[in-house]
Amino acid sequence: MTELLPLIVLIEDELPIRRFLRASLTPAHYRMEEAGTGVDGLKTIAREKPEIVILDLGLPDIDGVQLIRQLREWSDVPIIILSARDQEVDKVAALDAGADDYLVKPFSVPELEARLRVAIRHRSRIPGAPQQSTFKMGDISVDLAARTVSRGSEPVHLTKIEFKLLTQLIKHSGMVVTHRHLLKEVWGPSHIEDSHYLRIYMGQLRHKLEQDPAQPRYLRTELGVGYRLVADA
């Protein structure tokens, strides 16, 4: 039975945190392999081929951002950062390097478990898995193939840019998507510094899709970093 459980590779140099996470996460839902250094972590990932990686940025041998870049050269395994670094610049650097999510220490185990579930769902949707063309969040339905959006029984008209922005958020549903990534994918590489575009169009999307745009239920802001689409709110 345990062979069917998702495998986590935890790369963390602090033994007490490794012990705590093993006790908190593995009893019912996960298997876990541990590494105390970046080099050992990369070897473990290559050998074990896990469903997900939990990574501390402050490793003794390799900076975590550098490790992410190395890993992304040959693996698309979901990476959740678990770090004491709480500055926006650190979060953005890790996410832009290829991490899927970022949690700051001290952290809540239930929140970490929720982020793990999202990452594993996201993993199941990447190449090789069947794709569904319809995405739902509450009473909002998005048909990606037909490029239509409805709220309840009423159609919602989105501009080409609004739909493209929403599609990027859906593609990474539950994950933090950085300003830089959205600007590059929606407007192109020459616009990665034009963050005011995002503020304008996210505001428009919220007015069309959220019941209360000032208190968004689905289209959440990750302050200073980017946005997250929360479908299960």
Side-chain angles (χ1 to χ4, degrees):
M1 181 68 175
T2 57
E3 291 303 312
L4 301 177
L5 297 177
L7 175 64
I8 296 170
V9 167
L10 170 63
I11 308 175
E12 165 65 66
D13 64 325
E14 294 187 39
L15 183 58
I17 293 179
R18 296 207 305 268
R19 287 174 174 166
F20 172 73
L21 286 173
R22 178 177 285 278
S24 300
L25 296 176
T26 58
H29 303 296
Y30 301 99
R31 294 174 292 141
M32 186 178 291
E33 293 287 336
E34 302 173 21
T37 68
V39 169
D40 286 345
L42 289 169
K43 290 178 180 176
T44 303
I45 293 167
R47 182 180 68 247
E48 300 294 339
K49 298 178 175 57
E51 278 73 29
I52 194 160
V53 171
I54 298 176
L55 171 65
D56 177 27
L57 293 180
L59 299 171
D61 57 339
I62 303 176
D63 181 75
V65 173
Q66 181 184 346
L67 186 149
I68 295 167
R69 293 195 182 104
Q70 290 183 27
L71 181 56
R72 282 291 177 252
E73 291 176 0
W74 51 270
S75 175
D76 59 6
V77 62
I79 303 169
I80 294 181
I81 302 302
L82 200 59
S83 176
R85 301 181 188 175
D86 60 357
Q87 299 299 305
E88 290 174 5
V89 65
D90 295 311
K91 297 177 184 178
V92 170
L95 292 163
D96 277 344
D100 296 276
D101 213 338
Y102 198 112
L103 214 53
V104 175
K105 300 174 183 176
F107 59 92
S108 154
V109 170
E111 182 176 6
L112 175 58
E113 289 177 329
R115 304 284 182 96
L116 287 167
R117 290 192 294 271
V118 167
I120 289 171
R121 287 200 301 271
H122 185 253
R123 169 78 165 174
S124 72
R125 296 199 296 267
I126 51 188
Q131 297 285 328
Q132 291 188 341
S133 66
T134 302
F135 183 87
K136 292 185 178 294
M137 43 186 185
D139 64 345
I140 298 166
S141 179
V142 183
D143 190 325
L144 297 168
R147 300 180 66 83
T148 59
V149 181
S150 60
R151 186 174 176 181
S153 59
E154 296 296 320
V156 178
H157 173 71
L158 298 185
T159 67
K160 183 178 179 180
I161 290 291
E162 289 167 352
F163 191 83
K164 199 171 181 181
L165 179 56
L166 181 61
T167 299
Q168 281 298 314
L169 293 169
I170 289 172
K171 181 180 177 181
H172 302 282
S173 176
M175 304 292 184
V176 179
V177 190
T178 65
H179 298 139
R180 187 183 182 90
H181 176 88
L182 290 170
L183 287 163
K184 179 182 176 183
E185 294 300 320
V186 178
W187 284 275
S190 62
H191 293 282
I192 58 175
E193 303 299 330
D194 298 329
S195 58
H196 61 285
Y197 287 4
L198 273 178
R199 289 194 296 272
I200 293 168
Y201 280 90
M202 282 299 298
Q204 292 173 184
L205 269 181
R206 284 170 172 161
H207 276 282
K208 292 180 178 182
L209 300 180
E210 298 280 5
Q211 187 171 3
D212 181 0
Q215 299 290 329
R217 179 180 178 187
Y218 305 113
L219 304 172
R220 307 279 184 85
T221 297
E222 294 287 337
L223 195 61
V225 178
Y227 297 95
R228 183 199 302 268
L229 188 149
V230 180
D232 302 327

